[in-house]
């Protein structure tokens, strides 16, 4: 039974909430809680004075704690430290701890190392990792990055990947490989840097130096298990062998034992040498061929195409054959997708419209005699306009005259050629594989898992969460380490998404992290009559989805204790 009890001291009454019970047949006080003096109780009831908080502060919690629990389950800090070795006794934190924190920041709110300490103060991070403020100086992060040399970085990534497979029961039967590049702001005059170079910018930033990144992800959740950083001016095909070599080093033993690992890649990786390396390895493969290299397969009549699987792939048709490709006789599957056909048709129509405008402008300029360019220069101009693929099959032209003033251009679009192009090329893919026993639908499903790695690259180019940018590093080594913890951050995010999906919560990475970010910590500050203010930490109210995620990720481990 609870009751209010007042005790007199020095002429003042102090009140306690007392809980009584019978012990051995006699009434005893078994618990009591101090409530304060009469004045304090009156002030509290009037919602003023030391009984009420004078200030509040909100700190990020949900997304931070969820990402940190994955990093802890993977033992990232320990696995990195095992490769680096011990640090000096006066080091505030280990190399592994700093890189785990860098990955954590990339997941939640990517910022520079200079801004890390300011960001950390806005979070509940001090309850996850106990570090003095001085330990979060950007130079300490740089020291840690310098300590992780390339050989140790590779070994650490392999160890973390093995831990992912073990802890999260990842299925490695399907591994998807692709490459892209990222724009950087490395100065053009920076001579200490060779990995950032100008090349074919996939983000269309041709004015910036690029860093190339190859990625291998699981078809089970799109989780990265391997990356390869390379110079941004090198074509993807030149790096394919290096990625396959590292893939075999990581999972070759498993591939030999299980004979189930299949690597998937697109036509951008095709070369006879690269394909020979794949076939010399214990890996199986599903790839695609460049349609332009096999016009005979594109010319096959539509009547030979049959429905693949109406339920899994609505509208998709295909036929299977044998063909010589990349130096050997192979199982080849030609597919046609109405959806892909429509996308290509729309894209070609835009390209065609642009070429028509340019040709019309050139034709009008020549008709007015307003050019001083010789015939060869005008022909080069026309060739440049018709350079995009397939235009020269659809647009015919003739240039008459010899001198600049007499040059005249005549051109037309051939509707019949346009129809033949659509029937022959649009909507088709050419797949090849050494999986002779797989049904056609399984080959198609494996190739379509390319979407998993493409989604990973799109996520790394998202400036808000799990982002490659901003990157404020100017040396080859630091850039390589930066890529390492960015890919680690992507793995953490996709493991979180995979866990949620397995629990029936289907959200994108951004939606998931946004939902978790809504779980914040509120700090209530109470200022008494003297001394430092007292603080009480509570979590904000959660909606049903947030509560499910809170329970799923075990965030109560990191929640403030009541």
């Amino acid at each position: 039974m609870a009751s209010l009890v007042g005790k007199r001291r020095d002429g003042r009454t102090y009140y306690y909430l007392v809980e009584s019970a019978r012990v051995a047949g006699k009434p005893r006080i078994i618990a009591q809680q101090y409530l304060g003096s009469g004045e304090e109780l009156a002030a509290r009831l009037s919602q003023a004075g030391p009984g009420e908080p004078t200030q509040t502060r909100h700190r990020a919690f949900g997304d931070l704690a969820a990402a940190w629990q994955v990093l802890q389950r993977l033992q990232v800090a320990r696995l990195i430290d095992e490769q680096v070795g011990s640090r000096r006794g006066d080091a505030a934190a280990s190399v592994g701890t700093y890189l785990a924190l860098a990955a954590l920041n990339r997941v939640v709110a990517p910022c520079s190392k200079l801004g890390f300490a300011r960001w950390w103060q806005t979070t509940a991070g001090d309850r996850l990792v106990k570090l003095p403020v001085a330990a979060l100086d950007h130079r300490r992060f740089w020291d840690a990055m310098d300590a992780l040399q390339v050989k140790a970085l590779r070994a650490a990534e392999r160890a973390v990947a093995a831990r992912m497979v073990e802890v999260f029961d990842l299925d490695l039967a399907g591994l998807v490989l692709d490459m892209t590049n990222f724009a950087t702001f490395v100065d053009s005059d920076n001579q200490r840097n060779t990995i950032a170079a100008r090349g074919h910018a996939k983000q269309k930033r041709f004015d910036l130096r690029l860093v190339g990144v190859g990625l291998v992800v699981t078809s089970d959740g799109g989780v990265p298990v391997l990356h390869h950083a390379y110079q941004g001016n090198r074509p993807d095909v030149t790096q394919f062998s290096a990625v396959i070599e590292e893939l075999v080093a990581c999972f070759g033993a498993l591939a030999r034992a299980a004979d189930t690992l299949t690597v998937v890649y697109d036509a951008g990786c095709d070369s006879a040498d690269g394909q020979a390396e794949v076939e010399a390895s214990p890996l199986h493969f599903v790839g695609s061929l460049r349609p332009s290299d096999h016009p005979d397969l594109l010319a096959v009549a539509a009547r030979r195409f049959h429905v693949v699987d109406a339920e899994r792939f609505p509208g998709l048709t295909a036929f299977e054959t044998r063909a010589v490709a990349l130096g050997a006789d192979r199982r080849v599957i030609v597919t046609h997708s109405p959806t892909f056909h429509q996308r290509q048709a729309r894209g070609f129509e835009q390209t065609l419209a642009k070429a028509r405008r340019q040709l019309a402008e050139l034709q009008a300029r020549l008709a007015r005699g307003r050019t001083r360019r010789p015939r060869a220069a005008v022909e080069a101009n026309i060739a440049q306009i018709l350079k995009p693929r397939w235009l020269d099959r659809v647009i015919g032209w003739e240039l008459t005259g010899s001198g600049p003033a007499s040059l005249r251009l005549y051109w037309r679009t051939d509707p019949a050629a346009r129809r033949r192009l659509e029937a022959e090329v649009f909507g088709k893919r050419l797949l090849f594989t050494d999986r002779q026993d797989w049904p056609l639908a399984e080959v198609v499903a494996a190739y379509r898992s390319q979407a998993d790695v493409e989604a990973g690259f799109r996520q790394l180019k998202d400036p808000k969460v799990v982002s490659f940018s901003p990157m404020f590093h100017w040396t080859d080594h630091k850039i390589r380490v930066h890529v390492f913890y960015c890919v680690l951050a992507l793995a953490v995010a996709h493991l979180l998404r995979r866990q949620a999906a397995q629990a029936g919560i289907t959200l994108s990475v951004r939606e998931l992290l946004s939902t978790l970010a809504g779980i914040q910590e509120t700090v209530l500050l109470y200022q008494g009559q003297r001394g430092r203010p007292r603080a009480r930490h509570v979590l904000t109210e959660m909606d049903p989805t947030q509560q499910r995620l809170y329970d799923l990720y075990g965030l109560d481990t990191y929640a403030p204790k009541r």
Side-chain angles (χ1 to χ4, degrees):
M1 183 178 71
S3 60
L4 188 65
V5 175
K7 299 181 181 180
R8 297 279 299 178
R9 289 182 185 172
D10 299 329
R12 298 183 68 185
T13 303
Y14 299 91
Y15 292 92
Y16 296 80
L17 183 64
V18 174
E19 186 176 353
S20 304
R22 286 190 173 273
V23 179
K26 296 182 179 181
R28 292 285 187 270
I29 295 175
I30 60 173
Q32 67 177 13
Q33 181 180 357
Y34 175 67
L35 300 178
S37 66
E39 294 84 356
E40 288 178 327
L41 281 177
R44 188 176 302 176
L45 291 173
S46 66
Q47 298 185 348
E52 291 298 317
T54 57
Q55 296 181 63
T56 64
R57 184 168 68 243
H58 294 282
R59 308 200 301 178
F61 171 75
D63 48 356
L64 189 83
W68 186 248
Q69 64 88 17
V70 173
L71 289 165
Q72 285 200 309
R73 289 181 67 185
L74 295 177
Q75 299 180 1
V76 167
R78 180 182 67 80
L79 294 175
I80 293 175
D81 290 337
E82 285 178 354
Q83 303 303 324
V84 175
S86 59
R87 303 192 75 190
R88 287 173 24 183
D90 59 352
S94 70
V95 171
T97 299
Y98 277 114
L99 295 182
L101 289 173
L104 178 65
N105 171 254
R106 287 285 139 180
V107 175
V108 177
C111 70
S112 68
K113 301 300 175 293
L114 187 62
F116 185 94
R118 291 193 301 273
W119 166 75
W120 190 250
Q121 290 174 354
T122 68
T123 74
D126 58 354
R127 198 165 51 253
L128 308 182
V129 185
K130 297 294 184 183
L131 289 174
V133 175
L136 300 178
D137 184 88
H138 61 284
R139 288 164 291 192
R140 304 291 80 77
F141 281 94
W142 293 349
D143 292 343
M145 294 173 74
D146 288 336
L148 184 66
Q149 294 302 306
V150 173
K151 184 177 180 181
L153 185 153
R154 281 280 169 235
E157 182 175 57
R158 293 177 190 177
V160 171
R163 180 74 179 166
M164 283 183 202
V165 174
E166 176 188 353
V167 172
F168 290 91
D169 193 26
L170 290 180
D171 183 1
L172 294 180
L175 296 172
V176 192
L177 185 160
D178 202 1
M179 303 183 202
T180 192
N181 52 49
F182 295 87
T184 74
F185 292 94
V186 176
D187 190 89
S188 299
D189 294 329
N190 187 332
Q191 300 302 315
R192 297 180 298 165
N193 186 296
T194 61
I195 193 172
R198 283 187 171 81
H200 177 66
K202 297 181 180 180
Q203 291 174 283
K204 309 303 181 185
R205 290 303 305 266
F206 302 106
D207 56 322
L208 300 177
R209 292 168 70 172
L210 312 170
V211 173
V213 177
L215 205 59
V216 177
V217 309
T218 64
S219 56
D220 176 15
V223 180
V225 293
L226 169 70
H227 84 278
H228 171 66
Y230 59 95
Q231 288 175 297
N233 60 351
R234 294 185 178 178
D236 296 349
V237 67
T238 65
Q239 304 303 303
F240 180 71
S241 294
V243 179
I244 292 297
E245 183 180 344
E246 181 62 22
L247 189 56
V248 172
C250 287
F251 303 113
L254 178 61
R256 294 183 186 93
D259 194 38
T260 59
L261 270 68
T262 301
V263 61
V264 180
Y265 44 90
D266 65 16
C269 298
D270 285 354
S271 73
D273 291 342
Q275 188 60 36
E277 187 156 351
V278 174
E279 295 185 35
S281 77
L283 301 169
H284 293 282
F285 64 87
V286 173
S288 70
L289 301 169
R290 296 184 184 89
S292 58
D293 292 342
H294 301 275
D296 54 326
L297 295 178
L298 295 177
V300 171
R303 63 179 178 273
R304 288 191 56 185
F305 287 75
H306 301 284
V307 174
V308 174
D309 187 320
E311 186 174 343
R312 294 175 67 185
F313 309 114
L316 185 72
T317 57
F319 78 90
E320 183 175 338
T321 187
R322 305 288 304 184
V324 175
L326 299 178
D329 181 70
R330 307 186 185 281
R331 180 190 183 192
V332 176
I333 297 165
V334 183
T335 68
H336 178 268
S337 164
T339 305
F340 184 37
H341 185 124
Q342 291 169 8
R343 287 205 309 269
Q344 284 189 307
R346 286 194 299 269
F348 182 66
E349 187 59 43
Q350 293 171 354
T351 303
L352 186 60
K354 179 180 178 181
R356 284 169 170 164
R357 287 195 303 270
Q358 291 174 325
L359 289 173
E361 291 170 1
L362 178 59
Q363 183 182 42
R365 191 162 60 249
L366 293 176
R368 294 193 301 267
R370 294 295 185 88
T371 183
R372 296 180 180 179
R373 289 185 294 176
R375 182 185 181 94
V378 174
E379 289 176 341
N381 188 7
I382 297 170
Q384 183 65 31
I385 293 173
L386 299 180
K387 184 177 180 180
R389 61 178 180 171
W390 306 322
L391 284 179
D392 57 354
R393 290 186 53 173
V394 174
I395 296 179
W397 61 277
E398 180 184 3
L399 185 65
T400 64
S402 55
S406 64
L407 292 176
R408 298 294 182 268
L409 173 63
Y410 303 92
W411 61 274
R412 66 182 295 270
T413 304
D414 186 345
R418 167 69 185 270
R419 290 193 295 272
R420 288 194 298 271
L421 172 68
E422 286 210 34
E424 178 185 328
V425 176
F426 287 6
K428 293 181 180 179
R429 293 192 189 278
L430 278 59
L431 312 183
F432 72 110
T433 180
D434 66 339
R435 288 292 195 180
Q436 308 299 335
D437 56 332
W438 275 15
L440 193 150
E442 291 305 312
V443 177
V444 172
Y447 183 77
R448 289 197 171 189
S449 63
Q450 278 274 314
D452 295 321
V453 69
E454 290 167 358
F457 283 137
R458 285 195 300 273
Q459 185 59 64
L460 284 173
K461 293 177 181 180
D462 181 339
K464 300 296 184 183
V465 291
V466 197
S467 178
F468 179 90
S469 298
M471 185 194 75
F472 299 104
H473 300 296
W474 321 117
T475 64
D476 285 356
H477 181 70
K478 281 192 174 68
I479 290 175
R480 291 185 186 279
V481 177
H482 177 86
V483 174
F484 166 71
Y485 59 65
C486 286
V487 172
L488 177 58
L490 181 64
V492 169
H494 280 194
L495 287 169
L496 287 171
R497 182 174 59 84
R498 180 176 177 271
Q499 278 184 279
Q502 290 173 339
I505 307 172
T506 305
L507 297 170
S508 68
V509 167
R510 180 177 270 213
E511 290 169 339
L512 175 62
L513 291 172
S514 177
T515 302
L516 287 167
I519 307 174
Q520 294 192 332
E521 178 179 310
T522 298
V523 184
L524 305 175
L525 299 175
Y526 297 84
Q527 181 62 62
Q529 294 179 346
R530 58 184 178 274
R532 299 176 62 184
R534 292 178 293 114
R536 183 185 178 197
H537 299 250
V538 295
L539 295 183
T540 54
E541 183 180 11
M542 289 179 272
D543 64 31
T545 301
Q546 289 171 330
Q547 185 64 59
R548 288 181 65 191
L549 293 172
Y550 180 89
D551 297 335
L552 175 66
Y553 300 135
L555 301 190
D556 56 320
T557 304
Y558 308 99
K561 305 305 178 185
R562 298 186 178 182

